[in-house]
Amino acid sequence: MNRIRLTARSLRYYWRWQIGLALGVGVAAAVIAGSLVTGDSVRATLAKQAEVRLGKVGTAVAAADGFFTEALAARVPGAVPVLLVQGTVSVPGDGRRANGVNILGVRDDFWTLGSGPAAGGTGGLILNEALTKALGLDGAEKPEVIVRFEKPSLISRDAPLSGETDLTVTLREAVARVAGEEAMGAFSLKAQQEPALNVYLPLAKLQEAAGLPGRANL
């Protein structure tokens, strides 16, 4: 009996086991291939999200408890000063409101950091797509919104010597445009599942409202 006949008889005698083995190998190969494809897809998605969030930003300097002069950015090639505070945005009259909104004071050069084409500033208030959807303003023509935030302070509002307690700033502005995700609309330094809720104002306007002329913290 030669090797070929022995192999043929073995396959014919153990055909049930052979089929089971082949099916097992096929299932295992499919699982491994699917895992590799899923892993590549997840990595590509995370990389795309990071690119959208950060744009062309390579290094960020954030002042945790204080502020630096806007002029500092002029000493670093390519640096852009930003004033960032937290607040709320609401729609006048109907109670729609978004909390935990990033209120960013930016100059026109901020928009050049996007991964997509730069849309440029408008001199007015700009919402990102996530905040527009949260407020239900999709398709609205030049809607108005109310932006509220507390004036930044180095002393906690709960401290006995904190001074005035009502330091809330309220701004009512018409929406000039909506910033797309790839045009710095989704800007955030935090890696998070939910998209950041951002509203943008001219840097000088937010500095004046916050009582921080010539100051930035990002």
Side-chain angles (χ1 to χ4, degrees):
M1 182 180 294
N2 57 32
R3 183 178 301 177
I4 296 176
R5 292 183 62 187
L6 178 62
T7 301
R9 288 190 176 186
S10 176
L11 291 174
R12 187 166 57 249
Y13 185 79
Y14 296 107
W15 66 272
R16 292 184 179 86
W17 294 357
Q18 303 290 357
I19 291 176
L21 179 62
L23 291 175
V25 171
V27 170
V31 170
I32 293 173
S35 299
L36 292 174
V37 171
T38 301
D40 290 342
S41 175
V42 170
R43 281 193 294 270
T45 300
L46 293 176
K48 179 63 176 178
Q49 289 178 350
E51 180 183 1
V52 168
R53 283 192 305 105
L54 300 175
K56 300 173 186 175
V57 175
T59 302
V61 178
D65 298 315
F67 302 89
F68 46 80
T69 62
E70 177 186 348
L72 178 64
R75 299 168 58 184
V76 182
V80 175
V82 176
L83 179 59
L84 170 63
V85 296
Q86 296 287 321
T88 65
V89 177
S90 59
V91 180
D94 63 5
R96 285 177 290 175
R97 172 174 170 170
N99 299 319
V101 177
N102 301 314
I103 304 169
L104 300 105
V106 300
R107 303 187 314 199
D108 284 353
D109 52 359
F110 171 82
W111 303 106
T112 64
L113 298 175
S115 57
T122 60
L125 181 143
I126 300 171
L127 302 181
N128 72 347
E129 292 178 349
L131 182 54
T132 302
K133 292 178 181 178
L135 294 173
L137 295 177
D138 294 347
E141 185 69 23
K142 297 291 183 181
E144 281 193 334
V145 294
I146 297 174
V147 179
R148 290 188 177 92
F149 64 92
E150 277 195 353
K151 281 190 176 182
S153 173
L154 296 178
I155 302 176
S156 172
R157 302 297 181 210
D158 298 328
L161 301 178
S162 62
E164 297 180 61
T165 56
D166 187 12
L167 292 175
T168 302
V169 178
T170 302
L171 300 173
R172 182 166 179 162
E173 299 279 339
V175 178
R177 69 175 177 88
V178 176
E181 287 189 346
E182 295 188 354
M184 293 303 281
F187 172 71
S188 176
L189 297 180
K190 297 179 181 179
Q192 56 191 25
Q193 294 295 326
E194 295 296 324
L197 303 177
N198 295 342
V199 58
Y200 304 87
L201 290 165
L203 179 58
K205 185 179 186 67
L206 185 58
Q207 287 171 335
E208 180 182 1
L212 296 167
R215 297 285 174 172
N217 58 358
L218 183 63

